[in-house]
């Protein structure tokens, strides 16, 4: 129920009024870099079906053969195929009717996101150019007033005061350095983002939220909370092996942890931390490393 509720809300969001600002925030000011990345992999077969039908809908004077050929050449990705078909000449004389376009009944959020990006691409480009010009004008004005500051990490000396992020000891860094440092720390499994080399103080959540995307910051907070709960030494505390969700299971005979995190929702074995394998015993389950070795 929680999964369906979340999927419905996300579907309504991407089918509705997703703005240019929303797209830039969700994809770290570079949605084009995400959707046009040739190394990106399609998430599901459902996405592929939606993408082909979407291309048939948009390019009604292109034959199905040409659309499918271009889609394969574009590594089964909608946006690259769309851009390629825009440059291609028509391969059919009549316009494809609606009856020949059959989207699956189940929606694909991944496809809707990519479709929305194509719809907003020119507006996104214009907004990025506007923001870049605005920032350049601010830098020139601050330079005349002598208000520019220096980042203590990359030593860039043309940083605007409002773009500087301090640690709790007051050491100042530019947004780019904080963003990179946060990514490295998260990759290392850290939940406390410390000052970038000047001291041992941390960078507060209020400062991080100016730089880190909301979904990344949310996961960081979840992991931090899970660590704090674990450090409290509470009895019968059980952690989901697939996400930071924690709960108390007082009944020792209850071997299955049902994760209530809407982003996860997986059932796992409390003892061996593998996916739920009841009624089989833990020693009857092949571990991931054993499977890889086999």
């Amino acid at each position: 129920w929680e999964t369906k509720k979340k999927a419905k809300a996300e579907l309504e969001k991407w089918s509705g009024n997703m703005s240019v600002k929303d797209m830039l925030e969700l994809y770290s000011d570079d949605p084009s870099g995400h959707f046009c990345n040739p190394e990106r992999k399609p998430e599901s077969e459902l996405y592929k079906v939606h993408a082909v039908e979407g291309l048939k809908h948009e390019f009604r004077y292109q034959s199905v053969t040409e659309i499918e050929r271009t889609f394969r050449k574009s590594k089964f990705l909608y946006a690259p195929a769309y851009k390629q078909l825009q440059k291609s000449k028509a391969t059919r004389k009549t316009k494809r009717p609606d009856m020949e376009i059959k989207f699956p009944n189940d929606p694909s959020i991944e496809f809707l996101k990519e479709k929305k990006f194509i719809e907003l691409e020119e507006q996104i480009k214009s907004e990025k150019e506007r923001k870049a010009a605005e920032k350049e004008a601010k830098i020139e004005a601050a330079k005349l007033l002598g208000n520019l500051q220096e980042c203590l990490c990359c030593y860039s000396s043309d940083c605007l005061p409002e773009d500087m992020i301090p640690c709790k000891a007051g050491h100042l860094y530019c947004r780019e350095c904080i963003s990179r440092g946060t990514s490295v720390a998260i990759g290392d499994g850290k939940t406390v983002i410390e000052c970038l080399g000047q001291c041992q103080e941390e960078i507060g959540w209020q400062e991080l939220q100016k730089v880190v995307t909301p979904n990344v910051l949310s996961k960081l907070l979840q992991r931090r909370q899970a660590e704090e709960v674990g450090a409290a030494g509470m009895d019968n505390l059980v952690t989901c092996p697939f996400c930071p969700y924690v709960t108390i299971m007082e009944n020792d005979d209850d071997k299955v942890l049902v994760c209530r995190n809407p982003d996860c929702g997986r059932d796992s074995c409390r003892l061996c931390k593998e996916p739920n394998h009841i009624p089989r015993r833990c020693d009857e389950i092949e571990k991931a490393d054993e499977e890889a070795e086999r």
Side-chain angles (χ1 to χ4, degrees):
W1 177 84
E2 288 176 340
T3 302
K4 287 182 179 179
K5 182 181 177 182
K6 179 189 173 187
K8 182 181 178 182
E10 196 169 12
L11 178 63
E12 290 174 352
K13 178 178 73 175
W14 287 100
S15 300
N17 299 320
M18 176 60 61
S19 68
V20 170
K21 181 181 177 183
D22 294 332
M23 290 289 285
L24 289 171
E25 286 181 354
L26 283 169
Y27 294 101
S28 305
D29 275 346
D30 190 21
S32 179
H34 172 77
F35 290 112
C36 297
N37 180 8
E39 302 303 318
R40 182 168 61 95
K41 305 293 183 184
E43 291 183 8
S44 65
E45 290 299 319
L46 179 63
Y47 161 82
K48 293 181 182 180
V49 177
H50 272 277
V52 169
E53 296 305 312
L55 293 170
K56 287 164 63 177
H57 179 271
E58 295 296 327
F59 300 97
R60 301 205 176 205
Y61 286 98
Q62 288 288 2
S63 68
V64 174
T65 302
E66 178 62 19
I67 287 173
E68 291 180 344
R69 185 190 69 80
T70 303
F71 190 53
R72 285 194 303 272
K73 191 176 179 180
S74 303
K75 298 183 178 179
F76 305 101
L77 297 172
Y78 178 76
Y82 184 97
K83 292 177 179 297
Q84 188 60 42
L85 287 168
Q86 278 185 315
K87 304 173 185 176
S88 303
K89 295 181 179 179
T91 53
R92 59 180 285 167
K93 296 179 180 179
T94 57
K95 183 178 179 180
R96 179 178 294 103
D98 289 341
M99 61 180 295
E100 292 184 17
I101 304 167
K102 298 178 182 179
F103 285 98
N105 292 327
D106 294 331
S108 169
I109 300 297
E110 183 189 7
F111 167 71
L112 289 175
K113 289 178 180 180
E114 203 158 347
K115 184 173 180 289
K116 181 61 70 173
F117 161 70
I118 291 293
E119 292 173 7
L120 298 176
E121 185 174 17
E122 289 304 316
Q123 296 177 50
I124 290 170
K125 183 179 178 181
S126 298
E127 178 62 13
K128 288 183 68 174
E129 290 174 351
R130 185 194 68 78
K131 288 172 69 175
E134 183 180 320
K135 183 175 181 179
E136 189 62 33
K138 285 183 178 180
I139 290 174
E140 290 300 320
K143 187 181 294 184
L144 292 174
L145 296 172
N147 290 338
L148 292 177
Q149 296 180 339
E150 183 179 74
C151 172
L152 291 175
C153 182
C154 67
Y155 300 108
S156 173
S157 59
D158 59 351
C159 301
L160 292 168
E162 61 262 34
D163 288 340
M164 301 302 286
I165 307 296
C167 72
K168 290 188 175 181
H171 297 115
L172 295 172
Y173 303 98
C174 68
R175 289 172 173 264
E176 290 75 14
C177 287
I178 292 294
S179 179
R180 283 195 298 270
T182 301
S183 298
V184 171
I186 291 174
D188 291 340
K190 296 180 180 178
T191 57
V192 175
I193 310 302
E194 295 182 346
C195 178
L196 304 182
Q198 301 295 323
C199 68
Q200 300 300 315
E201 292 290 337
E202 69 173 297
I203 298 168
W205 300 112
Q206 293 83 358
E207 301 300 333
L208 282 176
Q209 70 181 0
K210 299 176 185 177
V211 181
V212 181
T213 56
N215 60 324
V216 172
L217 185 61
S218 174
K219 285 182 170 57
L220 195 61
L221 283 167
Q222 285 180 357
R223 287 168 57 180
R224 177 74 171 270
Q225 289 168 349
E227 282 187 359
E228 290 173 350
V229 171
M234 299 174 68
D235 294 334
N236 301 316
L237 194 70
V238 183
T239 303
C240 175
F242 308 111
C243 79
Y245 174 79
V246 292
T247 188
I248 295 174
M249 297 176 65
E250 296 181 349
N251 186 356
D252 292 336
D253 294 330
D254 189 358
K255 300 298 189 291
V256 178
L257 167 63
V258 179
C259 181
R260 299 300 181 190
N261 177 4
D263 290 332
C264 178
R266 299 175 67 178
D267 294 355
S268 60
C269 175
R270 178 180 179 178
L271 301 178
C272 67
K273 306 299 183 183
E274 294 291 327
N276 181 19
H277 52 73
I278 300 297
R280 290 183 292 172
R281 300 190 309 273
C282 294
D283 56 9
E284 295 178 322
I285 302 303
E286 187 176 45
K287 302 293 190 297
D289 54 348
E290 295 173 339
E291 180 183 0
E293 183 177 353
R294 173 173 59 77

